[in-house]
């Protein structure tokens, strides 16, 4: 069974995500799904919350927010020192203003029962990620 951690950014979508969360939380609770939810409070907080959840054993991370929240959650997964990247599932639930990443993979992103299914059991869609550490970069050209 997957240990589920939901990283929720209630400020996403100019604050509209909080109302979406309250509605979605009712659906989650009705589904008898076991999960822990962590709310962001400031910029970069989703990264720290993701790292903490992974250290505590979470292996299915749910990003509930906008594309910026997702970016921070992915950073947390990539920065994890526990080498969990091959054993972690990432579920994206768009609650921001545009949710472009989610739209790429799920054309019916407003379907709540499908969102809960994604959290519970939906098989993963693999996406390539890369991490590049740039300490300094100087390009010199001779003309």
């Amino acid at each position: 069974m997957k240990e589920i951690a939901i990283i929720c950014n209630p400020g996403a979508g100019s604050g509209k995500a909080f109302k979406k969360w309250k509605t979605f939380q009712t659906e989650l609770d009705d589904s008898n799904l076991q999960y822990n939810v962590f709310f962001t409070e400031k910029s970069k907080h989703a990264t720290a919350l993701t790292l903490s959840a992974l250290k505590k054993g979470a292996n299915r991370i749910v990003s509930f927010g906008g594309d910026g929240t997702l970016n921070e959650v992915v950073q947390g997964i990539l920065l994890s020192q526990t080498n969990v990247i091959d054993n972690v599932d990432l579920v994206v639930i768009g609650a921001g203003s545009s949710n472009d990443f989610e739209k790429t993979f799920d054309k019916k992103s407003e379907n709540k029962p499908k969102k809960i299914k994604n959290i519970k059991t939906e098989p993963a869609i693999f996406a390539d990620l890369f991490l590049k550490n740039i300490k300094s970069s100087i390009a010199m050209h001779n003309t």
Side-chain angles (χ1 to χ4, degrees), residues 43-96:
S43 179
K44 309 284 190 244
H45 197 200
T47 300
L49 292 172
T50 301
L51 282 165
S52 177
L54 291 170
K55 287 178 184 173
K56 293 177 182 174
N59 53 9
R60 180 162 285 194
I61 304 292
V62 179
S63 172
F64 189 96
D67 293 327
T69 305
L70 173 61
N71 181 359
E72 290 186 23
V73 168
V74 169
Q75 287 180 48
I77 293 170
L78 292 175
L79 292 172
S80 174
Q81 299 299 310
T82 57
N83 297 319
V84 296
I85 196 164
D86 290 331
N87 299 314
V88 172
D89 295 336
L90 173 62
V91 179
V92 180
I93 299 181

Side-chain angles (χ1 to χ4, degrees), residues 7-113:
I7 310 299
C8 178
N9 179 358
S14 299
K16 293 178 183 173
F18 183 72
K19 184 177 178 184
K20 291 178 182 180
W21 168 254
K22 287 305 210 183
T23 302
F24 189 61
Q25 183 180 27
T26 300
E27 300 282 336
L28 281 171
D29 292 344
D30 290 346
S31 75
N32 295 318
L33 184 68
Q34 297 293 316
Y35 64 93
N36 292 305
V37 63
F38 305 93
F39 293 97
T40 63
E41 298 173 0
K42 58 188 175 185
S43 179
K44 309 284 190 244
H45 197 200
T47 300
L49 292 172
T50 301
L51 282 165
S52 177
L54 291 170
K55 287 178 184 173
K56 293 177 182 174
N59 53 9
R60 180 162 285 194
I61 304 292
V62 179
S63 172
F64 189 96
D67 293 327
T69 305
L70 173 61
N71 181 359
E72 290 186 23
V73 168
V74 169
Q75 287 180 48
I77 293 170
L78 292 175
L79 292 172
S80 174
Q81 299 299 310
T82 57
N83 297 319
V84 296
I85 196 164
D86 290 331
N87 299 314
V88 172
D89 295 336
L90 173 62
V91 179
V92 180
I93 299 181
S97 56
S98 66
N99 309 311
D100 291 327
F101 185 87
E102 183 184 38
K103 289 175 191 172
T104 301
F105 292 98
D106 188 358
K107 303 298 182 197
K108 299 173 189 141
S109 63
E110 293 302 315
N111 184 341
K112 289 179 189 166

